[in-house]
Amino acid sequence: MLPPRGNKMMGYLNYRMRITLQDSRTFIGTFMAFDKHMNIILGDCEEFRRIKPKGQEERQEKRVMGLVLLRGENVVSLTVEGPPPPELQQHKPSVPSGDGGGRGVGRGMPAMGGPPRGPPGMQGPPRGMGGPPPRSMVPGGWGGPSRPPPRW
């Protein structure tokens, strides 16, 4: 599977990944998300640590972690462990098709007769106060008959 053009990391979503941190811990889990800082979310994750007690041989501890957020500043390497599960590989989200006609979409509120009003106290000045007199903004002057503009 080739990664999409936009971002190579997007092509590895849902893959099983091995991530090594600066302190030599290794996390293996399902690569679920990342951001611009390379912070990574792993699901169904396990942590592996190498421990070397004095006078004894090195051993590896495993812990089941579940959902983990790894800070991008501490990430050293990412390695693919395995492809996504088959049920996630074939699933492609699809948008239901419509009839092709465009319609205005409201917010679930019926249209009332007039401009929208805010909450009480935030509706502006009362009618007739604090604005130009009625009909002064009508083309043609102070409400008289409309006439053509002057020729210069």
Side-chain angles (χ1 to χ4, degrees):
M1 176 177 152
L2 293 174
R5 289 185 186 191
N7 191 332
K8 285 186 179 183
M9 295 301 293
M10 294 287 285
Y12 295 110
L13 290 176
N14 297 320
Y15 273 64
R16 196 87 178 140
M17 301 290 279
R18 175 187 299 264
I19 299 175
T20 306
L21 300 185
Q22 289 177 341
D23 61 0
S24 75
R25 287 185 294 168
T26 302
F27 290 84
I28 298 177
T30 305
F31 183 46
M32 299 180 77
F34 67 97
D35 65 4
K36 65 181 179 180
H37 304 290
M38 219 35 211
N39 297 323
I40 296 174
I41 304 245
L42 291 178
D44 193 23
C45 183
E46 298 171 336
E47 175 193 23
F48 296 91
R49 293 174 47 195
R50 291 198 173 134
I51 298 173
K52 185 176 181 184
K54 293 183 180 179
Q56 296 179 8
E57 62 183 57
E58 184 177 303
R59 71 177 209 271
Q60 192 173 37
E61 276 189 7
K62 173 185 167 184
R63 287 196 313 178
V64 176
M65 303 292 286
L67 189 67
V68 173
L69 167 66
L70 300 174
R71 186 174 169 90
E73 189 176 278
N74 299 325
V75 174
V76 174
S77 71
L78 292 117
T79 309
V80 175
E81 283 287 304
E87 64 269 6
L88 293 175
Q89 280 182 338
Q90 296 172 359
H91 175 68
K92 295 194 178 191
S94 63
V95 177
S97 60
D99 59 2
R103 291 178 197 80
V105 177
R107 301 181 80 191
M109 300 288 292
M112 303 300 252
R117 294 298 212 159
M122 300 295 287
Q123 299 172 353
R127 199 162 169 80
M129 303 277 301
R135 301 198 56 157
S136 68
M137 301 301 286
V138 175
W142 291 90
S146 174
R147 54 183 181 249
R151 292 182 140 188
W152 300 98

